[in-house]
Structures are given as structure tokens and as C-alpha cells.
Amino acid sequence: MDERTAPGMAGISGATRLAAVIGDPARHSLSPTIHNAAFAACGLDWVYVAFDVPRGRAVEALDAMRTLGITGFSVTMPHKAAVADAVDERTPEAAALGAVNCVHNIDGVLLGDNTDGAGFLDGLAADTGRSVDGARCVVLGAGGAARAVIDALARAGAAEVAVVNRSAEAADRAAALAGMAGRVASAEAVVPQADLVVNATPLGMRGHAPTFPCDPRLVAPGAAAVDLVYEPLETPWLAALRRREVTATNGISMLVHQAARQFERWTGQHAPVEVMLDATRRRLAERV
Ligand code: NAP
């Protein structure tokens, strides 16, 4: 079913609940596709839209959320830190990261969460069946996505979370999120022993040079690797890893599972993850 012609969209009424993504820009976001497909599949009288909110105006968007009674916001760049500062309450993940990607308006009290890390772990489990408890992990990159993954890996009991990054200062800050398990390293020093390697840089993304985030020959056969990039679905790095019998998956699962966590927080219902995945894949195929 096309989410634009789903029953929920045709039957908008005075009782329809609203959720939205705020970002600058937000109009290219896949979130409306993912969430409207889920609302339709569950027969929920909800609709999800995108609001372009200029940098520096996130607090006004939160005020509008309260005034208009909007139930949920997804938050994307560049507003995640400003929203983390401005919400009424934060989950432990949002507080640790200083970044919010999901706001739940509970009778005018705004709760900020960050579902990226949990979405990453959910996606990893769904794609590979692997747990990270006791695992040696390497995260390539130290930006927003990397930080969420590092925090989640440490919370889930990873034995080691090594951060490999171009800028040493960002690497130090990101590794500190993992506490005793965190360290900064070079790819050569840590990737060959790793059970899990995560690319959280944009290298390999459409529009960037097709450079590897680390030499695929460093990754041990039998290890797992996740490339958080999802455009394209198969990066040159993932293709090279598959040839080495590495269990290699792309970023679509994290994208959909972080949205599923948001859907569940707002609606209290179990998210139809397969429907959300199908809708995302179809929309990505249209964008190629
Ligand atoms: P970000 O905050 O801008 O961080 C980018 C990171 O990549 C930084 O650590 C940066 O290193 C590093 N980097 C950038 N260009 C590089 C280069 N040419 N060589 C080496 N390192 C480089 O970005 P982000 O939001 O974390 O996103 C990172 C990637 O994850 C993007 O591809 C994004 O699409 C993807 N992502 C996926 C999901 C998902 O749900 N699947 C969610 C969020 C993001 P420095 O610190 O040295 O600048």
C-alpha cells in the first residue's frame, strides 16, 4: 500500500494525531515515508509530516509543539543538541549524548529521547542475530551517529569499544562515552581483533568519493560489520567485506529500527517493522 493513499491519510479528521520531523532541511527526510506506512498498517488515525525549522529556532518549534498539541517530533540536524537542552525531561541516553532525536509530548511535558543507539542494536540483532555482550567493537567515526552507537555498545556490555577517527579530540570525547570500555586507536591496531566493526563516517555515501572507511583486508573473516550508510545500500566497503566472508549489513536497519522505537514511544503500540522496511526500500529505490 502506498503511504500517500493509505486510509489514515484519506480520513484526516479533527481527532487525527500529528507527529513530525524537524530539521534544516527536513523535506528530504525518509521519516514521513517510514512513519506514515506504520500508521496506515496499524490503522491509526495519525499523520506524520516534515517541518523545515531554521537553525537556531528549535526552541520555538518545541513551543509550537506544546501549543498545537503535536504528540511526537523526530529531530534531525542541526537541532539535536538544542532540543536536548530545551526539553523538560531526558532519557539517560539523551542526557549522556547531549542529543535528542525523539520528543514525546505527554500532556505538555516534553520528554527527549535518543533512539539511534537502541535502533542500531535492534537492527544488528535483526540482521545478524548477534549480541554485543562481551564483544570487541570498533567504531569508525566520532560524530553524532558514532556517539549514539558507542554509547549503546557500552550499555549493552561490549568488552571494548575502540574509536578510530580523523580528529583526535572528537575521538577522545566519543570514546569517553563508553567509560572503562572506551579507547582511541588506529584501525590497524584494533580492527583485526574486532568482533564488530561499524562505519559511522560518510565515506562510501552517494556524493562522496568511494573511499573505504578502513582497509577491508583488516576485518577478520567471521566478524560482523555494519555500514551506517544506506545510500547506496551496498557501499564499496560492504561489497569488499562480503567477498571476505564478513557478515556485512547496511544502515537501513538502524534507520528503520530507530524510527520503530519512536513509533512505539508515541503510540504505545508494537511497530510494524517489516512494513516500515518495505516502505523505506521502495522510497530509496525511487530516489536512485
Ligand atoms: P557527523 O556528525 O558529521 O560525523 C561524521 C564523522 O565522519 C566524523 O567523525 C568525521 O571525522 C568523519 N569523517 C567525515 N568525513 C571524513 C573523511 N573524509 N575522512 C575520514 N573521516 C571523515 O555525521 P553523522 O551524523 O554522525 O553521520 C555519519 C554517517 O552515518 C553518515 O553517512 C550518515 O548518513 C550515517 N547515519 C546513518 C544513520 C542510520 O540510521 N543508518 C543515522 C545517522 C547517520 P572528524 O571528527 O575528523 O570530522
Side-chain angles (χ1 to χ4, degrees):
M1 184 188 301
D2 187 319
E3 63 278 359
R4 287 165 296 188
T5 55
M9 299 294 283
I12 289 174
S13 73
T16 302
R17 307 277 292 273
L18 182 62
V21 55
I22 60 167
D24 184 11
R27 74 190 67 174
H28 304 300
S29 169
L30 289 163
S31 295
T33 297
I34 300 172
H35 285 286
N36 285 317
F39 293 151
C42 295
L44 292 173
D45 185 13
W46 286 61
V47 68
Y48 187 108
V49 297
F51 291 129
D52 280 332
V53 173
R55 182 184 287 274
R57 300 189 66 180
V59 174
E60 289 163 74
L62 295 182
D63 287 343
M65 187 185 202
R66 286 192 190 88
T67 305
L68 300 174
I70 298 169
T71 305
F73 271 167
S74 309
V75 182
T76 187
M77 296 306 292
H79 300 311
K80 291 183 178 189
V83 170
D85 287 341
V87 287
D88 301 310
E89 293 170 13
R90 297 182 293 187
T91 61
E93 291 80 3
L97 294 168
V100 158
N101 79 337
C102 170
V103 184
H104 188 194
N105 179 0
I106 309 163
D107 299 326
V109 176
L110 304 189
L111 171 67
D113 192 6
N114 194 309
T115 63
D116 276 337
F120 169 79
L121 293 178
D122 291 347
L124 180 72
D127 287 347
T128 71
R130 296 193 190 203
S131 149
V132 298
D133 192 14
R136 285 162 302 179
C137 306
V138 176
V139 178
L140 308 170
R147 289 171 57 83
V149 169
I150 290 162
D151 181 67
L153 289 171
R155 286 177 195 277
E160 179 173 282
V161 185
V163 179
V164 175
N165 193 53
R166 184 175 59 176
S167 133
E169 201 187 322
D172 284 339
R173 282 198 307 271
L177 287 165
M180 297 294 286
R183 63 183 280 214
V184 176
S186 68
E188 291 71 19
V190 286
V191 170
Q193 294 82 39
D195 303 304
L196 172 68
V197 184
V198 182
N199 173 37
T201 78
L203 297 174
M205 206 171 143
R206 186 167 297 131
H208 289 248
T211 319
F212 292 144
C214 80
D215 186 338
R217 291 170 299 184
L218 292 174
V219 184
V226 182
D227 197 332
L228 299 192
V229 172
Y230 50 82
E231 283 190 286
L233 290 173
E234 181 88 340
T235 60
W237 190 62
L238 278 188
L241 290 172
R242 278 190 224 290
R243 290 193 291 274
R244 288 180 53 73
E245 294 179 25
V246 171
T247 302
T249 65
N250 61 36
I252 197 170
S253 281
M254 174 174 170
L255 176 70
V256 167
H257 282 276
Q258 62 79 27
R261 291 266 177 161
Q262 299 190 357
F263 174 96
E264 291 178 352
R265 181 173 282 291
W266 298 329
T267 67
Q269 295 210 17
H270 188 66
V273 171
E274 286 305 320
V275 169
M276 298 165 90
L277 267 171
D278 280 351
T280 309
R281 286 197 193 100
R282 274 188 282 119
R283 183 50 57 89
L284 283 171
E286 286 168 13
R287 292 196 338 183
V288 171

